[in-house]
Amino acid sequence: MELTNHKILIVGASSGIGQATAIDLAKKGAKLVLIARSEDKLKEVLESCEGSGHSYFAVDVKNEKELDDAISSSVKDTGEPFSGFVYSAGQEGTIPLKFVKSDFLTNILQVNTIPALLITKILQKKGNFSSEGGSIIFISSVMGNLGQPAKAAYCMSKGGLVAASKALALELASKKIRVNCISPGMVTTEMSSKILDSISEENIKEIKKMHPLGIGEVEDVVSGITFLISDKSKWITGIDLLIDGGYSAQ
Ligand SMILES: NC(=O)c1ccc[n+]([C@@H]2O[C@H](COP(=O)([O-])OP(=O)(O)OC[C@H]3O[C@@H](n4cnc5c(N)ncnc54)[C@H](OP(=O)(O)O)[C@@H]3O)[C@@H](O)[C@H]2O)c1
């Protein structure tokens, strides 16, 4: 898949799915702008990306003004609008309902859900996005489709992305901007390792059993992202692509 002439914004690019997405899209010729909080990690990711002209901004996604400044300055400095956006920033959250506080709910939405919409809005400002259209992908989760005890807040944040992407797909279709979600099952990353480190052997066995094809690798998700970013998927919008080793087939 050829991605030259594509300028892609990847938010949550310093590790896991976002990092692997950056490496793959760069290999295919895309020019990248990477965002996350950790400057050191972003630098490392950038150094492992093929090609030239990539850049990064260390920004917390809770800071709308800094997101706007980063996106606008990238467009101004390079004269090139974006043609794609992948929202992979996220945090996990497993708390039984009786311990859930309003701050926790607000915080998980402020990281997992709200910035995806605000960045999509910023990209609609004049000159920020290609007039020929492009592709936007929100990384949701099987948990945006299905439930699990103690996951109500995380499920809410991920289900919100799926619902919002469908509405945005309709709102932005006239600009030829496609908006889709990808909902992974468990794949090996920093986030999933933290989960697996904090639970019993018995629970780990249960999680593995829920994935008929076994726990996935980031590359399994990245191949879906690369396809949905590319023009090969030019007639696909408003879908939620489940890449979950069979988790949701049960
Ligand atoms: N791994 C899985 O099994 C799995 C399954 C289903 C869905 N997902 C979803 O896939 C996405 C990526 O997950 P992952 O496993 O790749 O996780 P990860 O390795 O922990 O990466 C999360 C990314 O989000 C960034 N991030 C977190 N909070 C941020 C903030 N406030 N501001 C800016 N960036 C922030 C992190 O960067 P900094 O820390 O540098 O800010 C990092 O780049 C998440 O949305 C997750 O919910 C993952």
Side-chain angles (χ1 to χ4, degrees), residues 133-150:
S135 172
I136 290 174
I137 301 168
F138 298 160
I139 306 303
S140 175
S141 164
V142 281
M143 292 299 138
N145 294 264
L146 303 164
Q148 205 175 75

Side-chain angles (χ1 to χ4, degrees), residues 227-248:
F227 169 66
L228 283 179
I229 277 289
S230 80
D231 301 336
K232 295 266 180 219
S233 58
K234 69 181 171 50
W235 206 48
I236 298 179
T237 196
I239 67 156
D240 177 25
L241 179 59
L242 284 140
I243 303 181
D244 64 358
Y247 189 108
S248 57

Side-chain angles (χ1 to χ4, degrees), residues 2 7 13-14 41 50 56 80 138 146 181 203 216 231 237 245:
E2 180 55 40
K7 179 176 172 182
S14 64
K41 286 191 188 172
E50 282 179 27
Y56 69 82
E80 285 174 286
F138 298 160
L146 303 164
C181 267
N203 283 339
D231 301 336
T237 196

Side-chain angles (χ1 to χ4, degrees), residues 12 14-17 37-38 60-61 88-89 139-140 154 158 184-185 187 189:
S14 64
S15 75
I17 295 170
R37 288 166 302 182
S38 164
D60 189 317
V61 292
S88 188
I139 306 303
S140 175
Y154 184 74
K158 292 298 183 177
V187 296
T189 65

